[in-house]
Amino acid sequence: MTSKAQETQNNIKKLSAVVERITFHNAVNGYAVLKVKVKNNRELDTVVGTIMQVALGEEIDCEGTWVKDKSYGMQFHADTIVVKPPTTLAGIEKYLSSGMVKGIGPGFAKTLIKTFGEEVLDVIENEPNRLLGLDGIGPKRQSKIIAAWQEQKVIRNIMIFLQSHGIGSNRACRIYKTYGNNAVDIIRKNPYQLAQDIQGIGFKIADQLALSIGLAPDSVIRARAGLCFCLKQLADQGNTASKTNDLTAKTASLLGTPTTIVEQALAAEIEAKTIKTINKNSDQMCAIDYLYQAEQKVAKNIKRINSHQLHNNTLLTETLLQSVEAENNIKLAESQIEAVATALANTVSIITGGPGVGKTTLVNIVLSVLKRNVANILLAAPTGRAAKRLNQTTNIEAKTIHRLLGFSPKKGGFVHDADNPLLADLLVVDECSMIDVVLMSSLVEAIPNGCKVILVGDIDQLPSVGPGSVLSDCIESKKIATIRLTEIFRQAKTSKIITNAHLINEGKMPLYKDADSNSDFFFINNDNPDVTAEKLINIVTTRIPARFKLDPRTDVQVLAPTNRGSLGVNMLNKSLQQALNPNPITSIDHFSNKLATGDKVIQLTNNYDKEVFNGDIGFVQGIELTEHEMRIDFNGRIVKYDFNELDEIALAWATTIHKSQGSEYPAVVIPIATQHYTLLQRNLIYTAITRGKQLVVVLGQTKALSMAINNESAKSRVTFLQHMLEENTN
């Protein structure tokens, strides 16, 4: 790199250049790798960024940072790329020869340059009739050139409009792809529509744009958007509702707007039926309408199911008890016998408790009894891993809830619903603490009358990622028969994972010995996060495989409290990727990350078309650079992703503890440090430890572990479901 480029690298975050070569450009998401000529530089520089359309010879102004890539050397990573028409004859010729303007190829580009010189672009723009005087140009070809030029102009003007109002290239490309040539009109009409329609654009960015284009700060439109944003923030934290006074005060504070304006906005949202107001006890509450409807649907359908007398109610007689004990080669304790009787006697029942207390045994005993006279038994769980584990422990097919209900893209919803219920006499649903209120509303709606329902889960784990407290609310309502298992059985007591999970749940520090002891639970103390990160890599890649004969790629999962920091998921993934997948066959740069063949990845959203869901883990099987396609193996099922769909996946050598819900791994490694202080809570550590089946290694600061165990202040979620279940109305 020349000294000029080095000066730019060290001191300046702007770059002006001419596009000389397009190494890569994804026309769908705009991601591009460009070779550019900077004035006075002899060598070409590399620009990586997002640009909707680009052609050779165009001039670009970039803002961003210089980054030294280990594989590709120094690159300018552009946050914003603004394209300008070329001004030099060489640049204009390259631009017109690129094929960007349909109807003009390399040969005709030379003719245009020879005829009109540097005025050629102005001629196409303002005097297109002059083209008719050239050989080979008739009205048809002229019209094609004019139309193509206008299309390029529209795109360029939209991009310039967005970038002039502070929208970077990446988001500008997404906006154009969503709205097309109507983008500016839609934004001027309601800039807050962006936050609803486009992934990666939230309220704050839309608000910045709204104010930039001249929307008044005290506009009711702005206040309405602010209200919905505040309610969505609460929903992202798991709440389905808020006190009205709290909501209006929070919105007014966020916007710097008088409360009277927010109250006008709330009245408009209520009239539009996007926000629902309800009186709960003595408080007036607000809820996003779809969440209120979901909770109402859960309560209504649970009451409906519970009110129907079963045809297959079974009493646990002494003879039957002896028979199922012999069939399962087990002698039940008195507490287990009572639990089985409760589950058999009630239409809807809940089984809850921590690890080692016999939830799986209880489910198997109930299934042994009921499958004698029940025709249709269905088993389900929220995630693929949880469903697979349920299948392994019961020897009965289990499905994810999404697959059980059968999503129909054509219908835009599930195949099974109130009009087309499941064919089921018994439904067992595991890991119910993970189920949010929206998914539960779809599930219970599809359960037919006369079906026995058993919900299984551990309410001491983290609650669902989505809004609601379904399992907890159902238990607290006292309207559903609940079996609480607390006794740790003898075989489970030998596991330090299980005994320590219960100690942590009681607010006590775990029992552990040094790393050389014969145990399944270890805590390795270290106060330096950087050293802890190095130790973690060594433990995962060397020590666990050597001592426990576990595959570090498939059997060991790193679970971190958060994404950020030296002990966060993002940094750990890069280090683990380098250690566990050092020489991939093929790799691609995806914004700030590299994705390669052999990488472990996690699905971040529900994709019903591909039938992969949030939390599913797979391995990259292949990358086709020419086809812009990645193949990922999810438990033997190959799923194809276009490069523009890669926002849906992320590296999974390390994942957040929240993402691990419903999963079990042979071994888990958990880094913990005071840098995670905002998330250090008892249920987080409890959930992480209970993910490990054979081995748990916690490493980091004793102080951080103590902080987490002593912090039981995880706020209870504000919901309506318990209240709705307690009401006598159906």
Side-chain angles (χ1 to χ4, degrees):
M1 180 169 290
T2 66
S3 59
K4 178 74 175 177
Q6 288 171 348
E7 180 185 344
T8 305
Q9 168 199 339
N10 294 329
N11 303 311
I12 307 171
K13 293 185 179 180
K14 293 185 178 181
L15 186 76
S16 294
V18 175
V19 178
E20 292 288 326
R21 190 163 73 242
I22 301 169
T23 304
F24 176 80
H25 183 233
N26 186 326
V28 179
N29 62 16
Y31 179 73
V33 180
L34 310 174
K35 289 292 185 180
V36 301
K37 182 74 169 66
V38 178
K39 190 176 181 180
N40 297 328
N41 283 10
R42 282 182 291 178
E43 297 179 14
L44 296 181
D45 292 315
T46 301
V47 171
V48 178
T50 307
I51 182 169
M52 202 63 254
Q53 291 193 337
V54 64
L56 298 180
E58 286 185 313
E59 297 178 11
I60 56 174
D61 288 336
C62 311
E63 291 187 6
T65 54
W66 285 97
V67 174
K68 188 170 184 179
D69 186 275
K70 290 181 180 179
S71 302
Y72 304 109
M74 195 65 71
Q75 298 178 330
F76 190 85
H77 284 207
D79 298 317
T80 298
I81 302 176
V82 177
V83 179
K84 300 184 297 183
T87 55
T88 67
L89 278 176
I92 293 170
E93 184 175 342
K94 280 186 179 179
Y95 173 68
L96 292 176
S97 299
S98 68
M100 183 65 76
V101 181
K102 294 175 182 177
I104 301 177
F108 190 57
K110 288 184 182 296
T111 301
L112 289 171
I113 293 292
K114 185 177 179 180
T115 305
F116 300 114
E118 293 179 354
E119 296 180 352
V120 61
L121 299 184
D122 186 61
V123 169
I124 297 172
E125 167 79 26
N126 299 309
E127 302 177 88
N129 285 337
R130 292 176 64 184
L131 299 177
L132 293 171
L134 301 177
D135 289 339
I137 286 286
K140 188 174 181 180
R141 191 173 184 187
Q142 181 209 37
S143 298
K144 191 174 184 180
I145 291 170
I146 292 171
W149 179 261
Q150 288 302 318
E151 182 182 359
Q152 299 304 311
K153 184 180 175 183
V154 167
I155 294 171
R156 184 175 284 116
N157 288 342
I158 289 171
M159 301 302 281
I160 290 172
F161 169 81
L162 292 169
Q163 290 168 342
S164 69
H165 289 291
I167 302 296
S169 298
N170 184 21
R171 293 190 176 101
C173 286
R174 291 184 184 182
I175 291 168
Y176 178 75
K177 278 294 179 184
T178 303
Y179 297 138
N181 293 347
N182 296 321
V184 174
D185 291 338
I186 292 170
I187 290 166
R188 287 194 181 281
K189 184 177 180 182
N190 182 8
Y192 298 102
Q193 190 72 30
L194 295 172
Q196 298 176 34
D197 294 343
I198 300 172
Q199 185 180 1
I201 296 184
F203 170 80
K204 291 182 180 179
I205 293 170
D207 191 46
Q208 171 191 326
L209 179 58
L211 295 173
S212 179
I213 64 176
L215 190 72
D218 60 353
S219 162
V220 173
I221 292 175
R222 182 170 183 249
R224 289 179 69 172
L227 272 170
C228 293
F229 170 68
C230 288
L231 271 176
K232 185 179 183 303
Q233 273 191 320
L234 291 166
D236 290 342
Q237 295 163 10
N239 304 288
T240 61
S242 168
K243 290 183 180 179
T244 302
N245 290 341
D246 292 346
L247 178 63
T248 53
K250 181 178 179 180
T251 305
S253 175
L254 170 74
L255 303 177
T257 303
T259 305
T260 52
I261 299 294
V262 178
E263 289 170 348
Q264 290 178 40
L266 178 58
E269 289 297 313
I270 293 168
E271 185 177 352
K273 297 184 178 180
T274 53
I275 292 179
K276 180 88 173 176
T277 57
I278 316 98
N279 291 321
K280 181 181 177 183
N281 301 327
S282 58
D283 294 314
Q284 188 190 57
M285 310 288 288
C286 282
I288 300 175
D289 185 66
Y290 82 90
L291 291 178
Y292 176 80
Q293 299 295 342
E295 286 193 304
Q296 195 173 54
K297 194 183 290 185
V298 172
K300 178 181 177 182
N301 281 288
I302 285 179
K303 290 177 182 179
R304 168 186 62 80
I305 298 162
N306 225 358
S307 67
H308 279 76
Q309 191 67 31
L310 291 179
H311 303 301
N312 54 18
N313 261 343
T314 305
L315 295 176
L316 188 62
T317 63
E318 186 66 29
T319 303
L320 182 57
L321 175 61
Q322 290 174 359
S323 175
V324 295
E325 284 181 330
E327 183 180 319
N328 289 273
N329 194 26
I330 191 173
K331 182 66 178 176
L332 295 177
E334 283 300 319
S335 60
Q336 290 176 304
I337 295 170
E338 184 180 340
V340 172
T342 301
L344 293 174
N346 289 276
T347 308
V348 182
S349 59
I350 296 172
I351 301 171
T352 188
V357 296
K359 296 193 297 294
T360 300
T361 300
L362 184 55
V363 168
N364 278 325
I365 293 295
V366 171
L367 287 171
S368 291
V369 172
L370 291 178
K371 66 185 178 184
R372 298 160 187 249
N373 59 353
V374 169
N376 299 299
I377 298 176
L378 298 179
L379 272 59
T383 67
R385 283 177 173 264
K388 186 175 181 180
R389 194 171 69 250
L390 184 59
N391 166 243
Q392 290 169 342
T393 56
T394 61
N395 289 319
I396 298 175
E397 182 187 14
K399 297 180 179 179
T400 63
I401 295 171
H402 295 89
R403 288 197 176 99
L404 182 75
L405 296 177
F407 186 79
S408 167
K410 184 177 180 180
K411 184 179 178 181
F414 292 112
V415 171
H416 292 289
D417 54 19
D419 297 324
N420 181 29
L422 295 162
L423 181 62
D425 300 308
L426 169 65
L427 172 65
V428 178
V429 187
D430 200 6
E431 295 288 356
C432 287
S433 62
M434 290 183 63
I435 305 176
D436 63 45
V437 70
V438 176
L439 182 57
M440 181 60 90
S441 69
S442 296
L443 176 62
V444 294
E445 183 182 47
I447 298 174
N449 294 332
C451 177
K452 179 186 282 290
V453 179
I454 299 175
L455 306 176
V456 186
D458 183 352
I459 57 169
D460 293 318
Q461 289 184 22
L462 287 168
S464 59
V465 175
S469 296
V470 174
L471 184 63
S472 177
D473 284 350
C474 285
I475 292 172
E476 294 301 319
S477 73
K478 297 181 173 56
K479 296 295 183 179
I480 301 171
T482 299
I483 302 152
R484 293 178 182 266
L485 302 174
T486 57
E487 182 182 353
I488 305 175
F489 290 95
R490 185 171 57 190
Q491 188 175 358
K493 285 181 180 177
T494 63
S495 168
K496 286 291 184 288
I497 296 174
I498 290 174
T499 54
N500 281 329
H502 285 273
L503 285 173
I504 288 169
N505 207 25
E506 294 166 8
K508 300 173 184 176
M509 288 290 283
L511 304 172
Y512 55 88
K513 297 179 181 178
D514 61 51
D516 295 325
S517 68
N518 182 23
S519 177
D520 60 1
F521 184 98
F522 300 96
F523 176 74
I524 301 171
N525 180 55
N526 189 282
D527 288 330
N528 185 325
D530 292 332
V531 174
T532 298
E534 291 175 11
K535 282 191 173 184
L536 182 145
I537 304 302
N538 180 251
I539 287 167
V540 171
T541 60
T542 305
R543 295 177 65 182
I544 289 177
R547 181 168 173 182
F548 296 94
K549 310 304 178 190
L550 295 172
D551 186 333
R553 293 168 52 81
T554 57
D555 296 335
V556 182
Q557 184 62 52
V558 175
L559 303 177
T562 183
N563 286 305
R564 297 178 181 177
S566 59
L567 289 174
V569 165
N570 296 336
M571 291 295 290
L572 291 173
N573 260 322
K574 290 183 179 180
S575 298
L576 288 164
Q577 181 188 48
Q578 191 173 1
L580 294 172
N581 194 25
N583 300 304
I585 297 171
T586 315
S587 67
I588 60 167
D589 288 323
H590 184 61
F591 297 106
S592 61
N593 295 313
K594 181 176 80 172
L595 293 171
T597 50
D599 271 338
K600 184 194 285 189
V601 293
I602 186 168
Q603 177 75 15
L604 301 175
T605 60
N606 291 331
N607 188 319
Y608 297 99
D609 292 333
K610 297 183 187 298
E611 290 193 345
V612 285
F613 303 103
N614 193 349
D616 286 354
I617 287 181
F619 285 85
V620 178
Q621 186 201 57
I623 297 173
E624 300 295 336
L625 296 177
T626 55
E627 298 296 325
H628 293 182
E629 184 178 89
M630 179 179 287
R631 299 188 307 277
I632 301 176
D633 184 343
F634 288 99
N635 292 319
R637 194 170 69 91
I638 306 301
V639 180
K640 295 179 180 179
Y641 288 75
D642 192 272
F643 283 177
N644 73 301
E645 298 174 309
L646 295 183
D647 284 352
E648 294 186 15
I649 66 166
L651 289 173
W653 302 112
T655 68
T656 61
I657 296 168
H658 283 84
K659 285 287 184 187
S660 74
Q661 287 176 267
S663 298
E664 270 189 356
Y665 311 92
V668 297
V669 179
I670 308 161
I672 185 167
T674 52
Q675 66 179 236
H676 302 139
Y677 71 94
T678 55
L679 288 169
L680 293 181
Q681 294 174 341
R682 184 183 300 172
N683 61 354
L684 186 87
I685 300 302
Y686 173 79
T687 299
I689 287 170
T690 54
R691 300 308 91 200
K693 196 173 181 181
Q694 300 173 36
L695 176 68
V696 170
V697 179
V698 182
L699 69 160
Q701 296 166 286
T702 306
K703 179 181 178 182
L705 181 60
S706 177
M707 285 170 60
I709 291 169
N710 289 313
N711 182 9
E712 204 182 7
S713 64
K715 293 181 180 178
S716 58
R717 296 179 169 186
V718 181
T719 64
F720 284 125
L721 181 56
Q722 179 183 338
H723 178 70
M724 291 173 171
L725 286 167
E726 290 169 349
E727 288 181 329
N728 291 325
T729 55
N730 288 326

